[in-house]
Amino acid sequence: MESLVSLFSTCSNVGRWGNNDQRGTLNLIDSTVVRRAIATVTEGDVVALGLMPKPTSNKSASSPVRLEVFSGNADGSDALDTLALSPHGFDITHLDALGHNFFEGKGYNGRNSKDIVRAKGLQFGGVQTAAKGIVTRGLLLDVAKARGVDRLEMTDGVSADDLAAAVGDCGEEVLDGDAVFVRTGIGPCGPREDGHRAGLLGSAVQWLYDHNVSLYSGDCIEKLPPEDPMVPMVLHQVGHVAMGLSILDNPDIERLRNACEKHRRPKFLLVVAALAIRGATGCAVNPLAVF
C-alpha cells in the first residue's frame, strides 16, 4: 500500500489563500455560494442537528457539559449559571478549529505546533477564525443507502468510490463550497473494544479536496484501525494540516436523514455559528439545516 503521507502534498492548500490565512476551506464560501445556499429554502422548515448531552454539576463526571445554576441575589430574584464545555469527543456536536490537529510538528499553513499551542489559547487557527459563521449549501451523502444497507459494518471503510456512488444515488452534484454530510448508519462513536470503527479512507479525503468541499460532517470520521499507521487520523490530520478543512463532528445524522426524506431532497441550507472564543481548539454548536 502506498503511504498516505503523500496526501499532505496532493491535498495541500498551504498558501492558497495567503501565508497568514487561518480560515482554510471556509474561503470557498463566497457571496455566490451563500446566495445559492439560501435559494434552496422553499418550506422554511428548520431542523436542529446538535446532539443534546445531559449536563452534570459533578466535576469528576465524564459529561462534556458541566452546568452549575445559582442565584446571584439573596432574595432569589434571579438565576445565573457557570457553564464548562469540553467539546471534543463523541457526546457533543462541535466545530473543530484548524489548530486542533498537527502532523510531525506542523499545523495548517506550515505553522509549527510549538509556536501555536499555549495554555492561554492557540496562537494560530483558533475557533474565532469562524466567527463570521458558516452559511452554505449542505448535501447529505447516504453511503449506507447507496450500498443497499441500513448501516455499515464497524470494519468497513468509506472510499472515494463510496462517496461518488452516494452522489449518484442522491441525484445532485457536489458544487464548490458545499458542506458534505456522510451517513454510514453507525452513529457518532469511538472504536469497538477490538479497535475497529467504520470511517473515511485516504481516497475519500482526496475526494473531498478534489471537490472543493468547504466543510466535512457525518456520523463517522476516519476509519480505525488506521489504513496507514504513519497517518493515524487521516481525515483530521490531512484535513486540518494540509487542507485547512472545516470539520463538524457528531451531528444528528439520523435527524437530518429523516428531514431529507420528508422533503424528498438531499440538499439544504446549512447555518453554523460558533462562539468567537479566541484561541479555543473547538466549540460546541447546534447546526441548523433549513429546508
Side-chain angles (χ1 to χ4, degrees):
M1 181 193 73
E2 184 179 353
S3 173
L4 296 184
V5 173
S6 62
L7 292 177
F8 288 92
S9 297
T10 61
C11 297
S12 177
N13 282 323
V14 174
R16 179 177 178 179
W17 297 289
N19 293 331
N20 294 318
D21 174 63
Q22 300 183 58
R23 286 176 51 79
T25 55
L26 293 184
N27 287 292
L28 294 166
I29 304 174
D30 58 18
S31 59
T32 299
V33 172
V34 172
R35 291 195 302 271
R36 182 182 72 211
I38 293 172
T40 65
V41 177
T42 56
E43 289 86 10
D45 184 18
V46 181
V47 180
L49 302 181
L51 301 180
M52 291 183 280
K54 184 178 180 180
T56 179
S57 59
N58 185 352
K59 293 182 180 180
S60 64
S62 60
S63 173
V65 182
R66 293 200 308 273
L67 176 65
E68 297 182 51
V69 178
F70 57 92
S71 178
N73 294 314
D75 62 1
S77 60
D78 66 359
L80 305 176
D81 62 55
T82 298
L83 179 64
L85 296 171
S86 299
H88 300 293
F90 298 98
D91 297 317
I92 192 167
T93 307
H94 62 274
L95 181 70
D96 284 344
L98 293 187
H100 174 47
N101 280 283
F102 304 94
F103 182 75
E104 295 184 341
K106 294 291 186 180
Y108 174 60
N109 237 350
R111 294 300 197 277
N112 292 316
S113 60
K114 64 181 181 180
D115 297 327
I116 294 175
V117 181
R118 296 286 186 274
K120 63 182 179 181
L122 298 175
Q123 302 301 291
F124 186 86
V127 78
Q128 78 280 358
T129 60
K132 289 176 60 177
I134 301 171
V135 180
T136 190
R137 191 182 78 147
L139 192 64
L140 176 64
L141 301 183
D142 195 334
V143 169
K145 179 174 178 287
R147 284 196 186 186
V149 298
D150 188 57
R151 59 173 291 161
L152 269 59
E153 299 296 329
M154 289 293 275
T155 54
D156 285 338
V158 176
S159 68
D161 288 343
D162 283 312
L163 297 182
V167 170
D169 188 65
C170 79
E172 290 286 342
E173 179 184 359
V174 179
L175 303 176
D176 289 358
D178 277 353
V180 165
F181 285 69
V182 171
R183 179 184 177 273
T184 64
I186 67 170
C189 64
R192 296 187 314 198
E193 290 185 2
D194 63 3
H196 286 281
R197 180 189 67 205
L200 268 62
L201 301 172
S203 66
V205 176
Q206 179 74 59
W207 187 95
L208 296 173
Y209 175 81
D210 292 340
H211 287 79
N212 274 327
V213 169
S214 65
L215 178 145
Y216 171 81
S217 192
D219 62 3
C220 68
I221 44 179
E222 48 270 308
K223 183 185 184 302
L224 291 178
E227 186 181 5
D228 180 356
M230 293 185 65
V231 189
M233 298 178 65
V234 66
L235 172 64
H236 280 78
Q237 289 178 312
V238 174
H240 283 157
V241 177
M243 295 171 60
L245 175 67
S246 280
I247 299 177
L248 176 66
D249 280 331
N250 308 329
D252 192 329
I253 283 290
E254 296 309 307
R255 189 181 299 161
L256 177 60
R257 179 183 71 158
N258 290 340
C260 288
E261 289 181 347
K262 172 185 174 182
H263 294 289
R264 298 182 180 179
R265 56 187 170 95
K267 60 184 179 181
F268 51 91
L269 167 65
L270 174 69
V271 180
V272 183
L275 295 175
I277 303 174
R278 185 169 297 278
T281 65
C283 180
V285 292
N286 182 29
L288 303 179
V290 188
F291 291 85

